[in-house]
Amino acid sequence: MTNLFFGLTKLELRKAVFDYAEKKGIPHRFSKVNKLAGKDWLEGFMKRHHGISIRKPEATSINRIKAFNKVEVHRFYKNLEEVMSQYNFQADRIFNFDETGKNIVHKPKTIIAKKGMKRVVSATSGERGRNHTVACAVSAAGYYIPPMIIFPRVRMTASLMIDGPPGAIYKAHKSGWITEELFVEWLAHFKDKTNASCANPVLLILDNHSTHCSVEAFDFCVDNGIVMLSIPPHTSHRLQPLDLTIFGPLSTAFNDACDNQMKANGYMFY
């Protein structure tokens, strides 16, 4: 059942065992009122079978489950093999691109508190925030392109750029998300930082979100030696390196910075 993405909970297993014992006429001391095997039976079962354990599953949508299959993954690696054979890209000319949304209201870290406290809280900058987008690209050799940061506002102000990442570019859009036009601007930024050209091409691996698939983006890449390779739809949870290794630590660092900022500026209550 776990392999089919519908693993059993402890309660479901206890019910299945009770039903099985009843159907097969196996003597038991399970509760016929609750129609469940006992908790002590479950504990003993887990101790006897060392190859299984209680795990917290990763929530995965039906679309992702269906899309991540042998055919789609094989097609992606076949396309990757073709462009690698044609251009012979070195590690420092292979980049992976993705965006992540960051909410300005950070998630507090775990804290030390007195036992028995009924209410343990930690201060944040607000109750509800708006998403900001950070567009990142990292090469297979470990080099990174200074990010594009998109603020959820109509106009940019210089104050938002103070103490930002060196070389980063800052944009504004009322939604806070990337658009087709902003993606083309990011491509121009990417070209400048990588010196991409038809004589010195770069491989850019990314998902096929609609904002990445405009004619303007395609023409820009053709004219400037940027070879785009798309990962299959709904497979970024397995094939997108930034999702797996970069954005998690980024979120942790962001939350730490927000927490430190709140404390350093005297947001303390007595």
Side-chain angles (χ1 to χ4, degrees):
M1 290 297 290
T2 303
N3 291 337
L4 295 174
F5 308 103
F6 291 97
L8 295 174
T9 65
K10 292 187 288 185
L11 191 65
E12 288 169 340
L13 176 59
R14 290 166 58 197
K15 184 179 185 306
V17 169
F18 176 87
D19 291 343
Y20 182 83
E22 286 286 295
K23 184 177 180 179
K24 296 294 184 180
I26 300 173
H28 63 78
R29 291 183 293 175
F30 303 148
S31 171
K32 294 194 176 184
V33 176
N34 296 327
K35 297 184 178 181
L36 295 171
K39 293 181 180 179
D40 53 345
W41 174 88
L42 178 62
E43 182 179 351
F45 178 80
M46 297 299 296
K47 287 180 179 179
R48 292 192 300 273
H49 295 81
H50 303 291
I52 59 175
S53 62
I54 305 297
R55 302 280 296 275
K56 182 176 177 58
E58 175 187 346
T60 305
S61 71
I62 292 295
N63 287 336
R64 289 183 181 271
I65 290 172
K66 291 180 178 179
F68 189 72
N69 57 68
K70 185 175 182 179
V71 174
E72 292 295 334
V73 173
H74 176 76
R75 181 182 293 121
F76 167 72
Y77 281 105
K78 183 66 176 178
N79 291 337
L80 177 61
E81 182 181 21
E82 289 179 4
V83 296
M84 289 297 292
S85 298
Q86 182 177 352
Y87 295 96
N88 192 28
F89 290 112
Q90 299 303 305
D92 61 343
R93 304 300 287 171
I94 302 172
F95 284 84
N96 186 264
F97 169 82
D98 199 13
E99 311 103 349
T100 183
K102 298 305 305 171
N103 196 306
I104 59 173
V105 179
H106 72 287
K107 295 181 179 179
K109 298 180 291 185
T110 55
I111 59 174
I112 299 171
K114 185 184 294 186
K115 287 185 177 180
M117 288 184 66
K118 294 183 178 179
R119 185 168 174 263
V120 178
V121 300
S122 187
T124 61
S125 58
E127 293 184 5
R128 188 176 304 169
R130 298 183 65 189
N131 269 332
H132 298 55
T133 295
V134 182
C136 304
V138 179
S139 78
Y143 304 121
Y144 71 92
I145 304 299
M148 171 191 277
I149 301 175
I150 304 170
F151 293 92
R153 55 189 297 125
V154 177
R155 297 180 183 85
M156 273 298 299
T157 61
S159 61
L160 294 173
M161 307 179 193
I162 298 174
D163 294 332
I169 56 176
Y170 304 87
K171 301 295 176 180
H173 188 271
K174 60 182 180 181
S175 70
W177 298 106
I178 197 166
T179 63
E180 292 181 1
E181 294 77 15
L182 289 175
F183 179 63
V184 174
E185 292 189 44
W186 181 86
L187 286 173
H189 171 65
F190 177 72
K191 172 189 175 299
D192 292 340
K193 296 300 181 182
T194 59
N195 295 316
S197 66
C198 293
N200 187 28
V202 176
L203 176 60
L204 183 63
I205 301 174
L206 71 173
D207 62 47
N208 64 346
H209 191 270
S210 59
T211 55
H212 307 157
C213 302
S214 67
V215 174
E216 290 78 10
F218 176 78
D219 289 341
F220 184 92
C221 290
V222 170
D223 294 339
N224 293 280
I226 300 174
V227 180
M228 288 202 297
L229 175 62
S230 170
I231 62 175
H234 306 297
T235 61
S236 60
H237 63 301
R238 289 290 181 265
L239 297 180
Q240 173 56 270
L242 294 183
D243 267 358
L244 300 174
T245 59
I246 301 297
F247 291 155
L250 175 63
S251 293
T252 300
F254 176 79
N255 287 331
D256 288 347
C258 289
D259 201 45
N260 293 336
Q261 178 75 3
M262 293 286 293
K263 293 174 182 176
N265 284 276
Y267 298 116
M268 309 293 284
F269 305 91
Y270 300 95

